[in-house]
Amino acid sequence: MTRKVLLSFCAILPFILHGQKVGLVLSGGGAMGLTHIGVIKALEENGIPIDYITGSSMGALVGAMYASGYSAEEMDSLFQTDQYQLMSRGGVEPDQVYHFQQDVPDPSLLTVRFALDTIIQASLPTNLRSPVLTDWSQMLGFSGASAISGGSMDSLFVPFRCVASDLTTQRQVVLSHGDLAQAVRASMSYPFYFKPIKVEGHLMMDGGLYNNFPSDVMYEDFMPDYIIGSNVAFNGPPPSEDDLMSQLRAIMVEKTDYSVPCDPGLIILPRTATTLFDFTTSRQAVKDGYDAAMERMLEIKANIVRRVPPDEVRARRAAFRARLPHAVFGRIIVEGLKPNQTRYCERILDTERTPVSAEDLKSRYFRLYADQNVSDLFPRSTWVPERGDHDLNILVKREKRVEARFGGLISTRPVNTGMLGIRYKFFGHTSAFLNGAGWFGKFYTGGQLKLRMDLRTAAPFYLEPSITIHRWDWFRGFNDFFRETRPAYIVSRELWGGMSAGMGMGNKGLLRVDARYARTRDEYYQTQEFGNRDTADVTDFNFGSGGLVLERNSLNRKQHPNAGELLRVDIRYVSGDEHTIPGSTTADRAPSHKRHDWFTAQVTLDKYFFSRKKVRFGIMAEGVYSTQDFFQNYTASVLRSPVFQPTPESRTYFIDAFRAQQYLAGGARAIMAVARNRFDLRLEGYVFQPYKTIVRASGDAAVSGTAISDRYFIASGSLIWQSPIGPVWFNTSYLDGLPKPWAFSLNFGYIIFARKALG
């Protein structure tokens, strides 16, 4: 129907009718679309009826929520919750982050995945945010309305339409029936923000690509007597030769007619400082929409005679909501995978244990999402009247088989390290991957190869054989980027292999047992006075180790966390043989051999408070008890002793003072959000109290010092920017025990090394 014909129809419509019907059109616009909630609130408060709604993108989400029985107040509250803020960032609720499936932290900054076809094809991310929490929440939020409407959007609390863009046929699609959550998700799949989804075999993306203000859909499908539009979108400026996003927008987005197709209508244009993806200012955006609607309210009332009292709307809404069935699933169907892969997923979801409520299923659902072989999940509920519950179809998309990870550390100190990792994934009866990683730098060089197999067992369980090699090149004192590093006085090498077995203990807990065999070689000088012709002392220690680790981990970052907690208990037995060959700077040149057997118990607590505040606090406490005896000399004994390293910077220094067989240590942290939460100012202080220090005696022997006689301190201040790629931070540290205790550095990346044999 052409615009001329539409105008002709409008000309013969009665301008004001006592029984007039009112349609509300909501534009797209990302976070700016939250102003639509304020518009709805103003209309309801003034008795203006809303008989039909059409929307695109964010307008589709707000419109669908209203059509499903959510009030403006409920929507306003919902968009201010931590859960919605998390959804907008593509995150997962902290209590649903499955620690059992989390990788051992590495310094990776960038991940690229590959598909193995006839050729290796790289797959760059198609979205900046994960939609998994959004998809789950929308499925729950809209499942009841879809059930009682029978899949017809005409039978919702308010008849509703939304538009999506069909990338297959390159045209607009008006969604009027089917699963409401799926329709809304299709309409709001903004390019590069949320990835598109398939609806009836067609790939659907954001409705704003072809129609960002569906007033024509409102008229053609409902023919209301009066149309009110709420528009926060616009046709962008011409593309610029220096602006890639403007060029992509010009290619993808068609010009939209931001008007109503007949004279009896009015468009509200809310003005808001909220930007496209800034969902943190939802309260202000809603107020801006409310204020904009109230500015036009006299005009609206002059054109719309019919009134619907707010109490009547609330009563009708309550009656509609009372009919909504609870989200209970009588059958769970896994789709999109091969039979063996499907059975693996069914075991995790425990599909035989039905009916199951959404609340009980949620942890299993997000456990499946955390699996390394799962890329995406999309849930779709279907009401089954005969049973009185829902079918839940879960479309599982397998992750690409090959994954390359790049990372490391760039620093003004001479500890720069590059990291490259390659992972190949297997998916069948088990979910497994083979992982190889290498670290390259003067200070640290390492390599690791491991195979992890998550078994299809009732309780989450994995096996992980691995082999690791390290080399540390320790140097004395602080050196910056512009000064030459002094010759190393300790070079420490380690090669170990072993087997670990782990079992999940709830969402955050892990119980791990391991058995390892290791060979270490330490080359060192007992004095700072040595020349090029001198030879270093060499200590070889070959040992076996068995350990049990119980931990609970909910920290939100692998470095510089500011929320969550870590509690770890590590009990370990070590048995091995030491062989020491003294160097040229040692008086006694006779080789020696010694047997060592000891137990070590270590407890670590790292906890943060006030995670929703701009100023947060944290505490750390660590205690170690070891029966380890001394090695043949002081340096060898210190090298093998437990060490306290509470900050990333402290892990790049070899400081004798923070090594002891038994110690208690702890400290406090204050983290302040600055510059509109773009930076963290992190202040930390720690005290290290050894029971007995390790003292260098005559002949470079190691002896115990006086009990509880010495203590040492670490202080650190960092300004940290968590960039989209990785952390950038400036650090000032005070490290007791160094000849020059004050250290300064500017860093980008992560200070994370492969796990040691005794780690």
Side-chain angles (χ1 to χ4, degrees):
M1 187 178 293
T2 66
R3 182 170 180 79
K4 264 186 193 179
V5 175
L6 290 175
L7 290 172
S8 299
F9 273 106
C10 291
I12 63 173
L13 285 174
F15 187 64
I16 299 176
L17 296 174
H18 183 69
Q20 67 194 137
K21 297 291 186 179
V22 179
L24 179 63
V25 181
L26 306 177
S27 75
M32 296 181 293
L34 296 175
T35 58
H36 301 324
I37 300 172
V39 171
I40 292 172
K41 182 179 180 181
L43 295 177
E44 279 200 354
E45 284 182 359
N46 286 274
I48 306 301
I50 301 174
D51 299 297
Y52 314 105
I53 288 187
T54 61
S56 181
S57 193
M58 191 65 189
L61 175 58
V62 173
M65 293 178 71
Y66 187 81
S68 298
Y70 288 88
S71 68
E73 290 76 12
E74 288 173 325
M75 287 189 279
D76 187 9
S77 298
L78 178 63
F79 283 110
Q80 292 180 43
T81 61
D82 291 337
Q83 184 189 42
Y84 187 80
Q85 298 302 318
L86 195 60
M87 284 192 290
S88 69
R89 298 192 300 268
V92 173
E93 293 166 293
D95 59 350
Q96 299 301 331
V97 176
Y98 206 73
H99 178 56
F100 172 81
Q101 295 283 7
Q102 298 296 300
D103 264 339
V104 175
D106 65 29
S108 57
L109 296 162
L110 175 66
T111 299
V112 179
R113 296 178 175 87
F114 299 85
L116 288 180
D117 298 315
T118 53
I119 59 173
I120 295 181
Q121 178 184 4
S123 175
L124 295 176
T126 58
N127 56 298
L128 299 175
R129 300 288 186 267
S130 167
V132 64
L133 181 57
T134 296
D135 293 340
W136 172 264
S137 300
Q138 289 187 359
M139 181 273 295
L140 292 183
F142 294 135
S143 62
S146 290
I148 64 174
S149 68
S152 171
M153 296 182 194
D154 287 332
S155 300
L156 296 170
F157 175 64
V158 172
F160 171 71
R161 297 287 186 273
C162 67
V163 296
S165 300
D166 188 338
L167 299 184
T168 307
T169 61
Q170 296 185 350
R171 64 181 179 85
Q172 165 189 299
V173 174
V174 178
L175 300 169
S176 61
H177 65 279
D179 182 64
L180 183 58
Q182 186 181 51
V184 171
R185 175 67 166 79
S187 184
M188 59 182 289
S189 297
Y190 193 86
F192 305 112
Y193 193 82
F194 282 159
K195 65 174 55 180
I197 65 169
K198 283 190 175 182
V199 178
E200 297 180 356
H202 289 246
L203 194 62
M204 299 289 182
M205 192 171 266
D206 193 278
L209 296 183
Y210 296 140
N211 188 350
N212 209 25
F213 187 67
S215 58
D216 57 335
V217 175
M218 170 63 73
Y219 194 82
E220 291 173 4
D221 277 34
F222 299 122
M223 293 194 69
D225 302 310
Y226 196 88
I227 293 177
I228 299 174
S230 178
N231 178 32
V232 291
F234 62 94
N235 289 313
S240 167
E241 61 182 0
D242 298 320
D243 188 344
L244 176 61
M245 291 306 296
S246 71
Q247 298 168 24
L248 292 174
R249 184 168 52 244
I251 294 171
M252 295 187 299
V253 179
E254 292 188 1
K255 299 293 183 182
T256 294
D257 182 4
Y258 293 105
S259 65
V260 293
C262 58
D263 290 334
L266 173 147
I267 297 179
I268 300 168
L269 300 171
R271 296 178 299 276
T272 181
T274 300
T275 56
L276 189 64
F277 298 123
D278 183 12
F279 290 91
T280 61
T281 57
S282 60
R283 184 189 298 272
Q284 184 60 46
V286 173
K287 183 180 182 301
D288 292 338
Y290 180 87
D291 293 343
M294 292 304 295
E295 288 177 5
R296 306 292 299 274
M297 194 53 66
L298 289 177
E299 186 179 353
I300 293 172
K301 288 182 174 180
N303 286 279
I304 301 176
V305 175
R306 176 174 160 236
R307 296 288 183 269
V308 179
D311 288 344
E312 180 182 327
V313 177
R314 282 192 288 269
R316 192 162 60 88
R317 180 182 292 118
F320 179 85
R321 295 286 294 272
R323 297 166 51 209
L324 300 180
H326 294 294
V328 175
F329 306 110
R331 190 169 62 138
I332 302 172
I333 304 104
V334 175
E335 301 174 338
L337 299 174
K338 296 178 179 179
N340 284 342
Q341 300 165 354
T342 298
R343 285 191 287 272
Y344 175 84
C345 295
E346 288 173 343
R347 185 64 174 173
I348 291 179
L349 294 168
D350 199 2
T351 56
E352 295 182 358
R353 194 173 68 181
T354 54
V356 58
S357 68
E359 182 179 352
D360 291 337
L361 179 63
K362 186 175 183 179
S363 62
R364 289 180 262 161
Y365 181 88
F366 282 94
R367 175 190 163 190
L368 177 60
Y369 173 71
D371 193 279
Q372 291 283 343
N373 275 296
V374 172
S375 169
D376 288 299
L377 302 177
F378 187 80
R380 184 167 50 85
S381 67
T382 305
W383 178 248
V384 182
E386 298 80 13
R387 293 200 315 259
D389 56 27
H390 296 78
D391 279 349
L392 180 64
N393 292 70
I394 302 176
L395 179 64
V396 182
K397 185 176 181 182
R398 180 182 177 177
E399 187 57 271
K400 300 291 191 296
R401 290 178 182 267
V402 182
E403 179 180 292
R405 303 188 314 285
F406 308 89
L409 176 73
I410 299 174
S411 176
T412 55
R413 290 189 57 242
V415 291
N416 297 282
T417 308
M419 179 264 181
L420 170 65
I422 299 291
R423 176 172 296 178
Y424 185 84
K425 302 177 182 180
F426 309 87
F427 196 17
H429 291 288
T430 63
S431 178
F433 62 81
L434 181 65
N435 187 82
W439 288 254
F440 312 96
K442 181 185 185 304
F443 166 66
Y444 175 75
T445 302
Q448 183 181 73
L449 183 67
K450 67 179 181 180
L451 173 66
R452 170 160 169 158
M453 297 171 288
D454 288 7
L455 306 183
R456 199 171 73 197
T457 52
F461 185 82
Y462 75 82
L463 295 174
E464 185 180 271
S466 61
I467 185 169
T468 305
I469 187 170
H470 311 271
R471 181 183 185 273
W472 282 270
D473 191 344
W474 301 98
F475 39 85
R476 174 73 70 179
F478 173 73
N479 297 276
D480 62 28
F481 186 79
F482 301 101
R483 286 184 286 174
E484 182 179 355
T485 305
R486 298 177 62 183
Y489 78 109
I490 297 176
V491 175
S492 185
R493 297 177 177 87
E494 180 179 270
L495 170 66
W496 68 268
M499 172 71 78
S500 296
M503 182 172 68
M505 309 287 288
N507 281 23
K508 301 301 178 186
L510 172 65
L511 174 65
R512 188 185 78 234
V513 295
D514 61 65
R516 301 167 181 172
Y517 179 77
R519 301 172 66 92
T520 68
R521 168 164 289 194
D522 300 321
E523 300 177 18
Y524 50 90
Y525 296 94
Q526 298 284 357
T527 175
Q528 291 290 307
E529 305 300 326
F530 59 88
N532 293 333
R533 295 185 178 182
D534 287 320
T535 58
D537 291 19
V538 178
T539 296
D540 292 321
F541 182 47
N542 303 328
F543 64 91
S545 171
L548 182 148
V549 178
L550 179 62
E551 70 178 22
R552 176 179 172 81
N553 191 342
S554 61
L555 296 178
N556 64 334
R557 295 172 185 158
K558 57 186 177 182
Q559 183 173 286
H560 301 127
N562 61 12
E565 69 172 327
L566 167 67
L567 175 62
R568 178 186 292 125
V569 178
D570 189 335
I571 301 172
R572 188 164 297 279
Y573 173 72
V574 181
S575 178
D577 294 302
E578 172 202 357
H579 299 270
T580 296
I581 301 176
S584 60
T585 60
T586 302
D588 185 359
R589 303 290 299 278
S592 61
H593 169 268
K594 190 175 183 181
R595 179 76 181 178
H596 299 276
D597 298 276
W598 74 81
F599 283 97
T600 298
Q602 178 174 333
V603 180
T604 302
L605 172 66
D606 189 356
K607 185 175 178 63
Y608 293 85
F609 304 91
F610 312 120
S611 60
R612 301 177 185 178
K613 305 296 183 181
K614 288 192 174 182
V615 179
R616 306 178 182 188
F617 297 94
I619 59 170
M620 181 186 182
E622 186 169 283
V624 171
Y625 179 81
S626 175
T627 62
Q628 178 181 341
D629 57 348
F630 292 127
F631 278 54
Q632 288 296 110
N633 57 60
Y634 169 81
T635 303
S637 299
V638 169
L639 274 165
R640 290 296 131 213
S641 295
V643 57
F644 179 61
Q645 296 173 317
T647 66
E649 293 77 17
S650 65
R651 296 167 200 152
T652 64
Y653 290 91
F654 184 88
I655 308 176
D656 303 16
F658 291 96
R659 294 171 180 259
Q661 285 98 336
Q662 300 96 27
Y663 66 79
L664 290 175
R669 298 152 171 165
I671 304 103
M672 289 159 279
V674 296
R676 295 184 179 181
N677 298 325
R678 295 175 182 171
F679 294 85
D680 280 351
L681 178 60
R682 187 181 183 95
L683 304 176
E684 306 174 69
Y686 305 92
V687 59
F688 175 79
Q689 177 62 71
Y691 174 60
K692 292 182 179 180
T693 57
I694 304 174
V695 178
R696 188 190 296 269
S698 61
D700 295 317
V703 297
S704 295
T706 305
I708 316 180
S709 59
D710 299 292
R711 63 197 54 84
Y712 303 92
F713 302 92
I714 293 176
S716 174
S718 300
L719 183 63
I720 308 164
W721 174 43
Q722 295 290 345
S723 79
I725 301 175
V728 180
W729 80 98
F730 175 77
N731 174 260
T732 300
S733 291
Y734 177 86
L735 299 163
D736 219 350
L738 287 179
K740 297 181 179 180
W742 286 102
F744 307 89
S745 64
L746 179 63
N747 311 279
F748 167 61
Y750 295 101
I751 301 177
I752 300 176
F753 312 122
R755 181 179 286 162
K756 294 182 179 181
L758 297 181

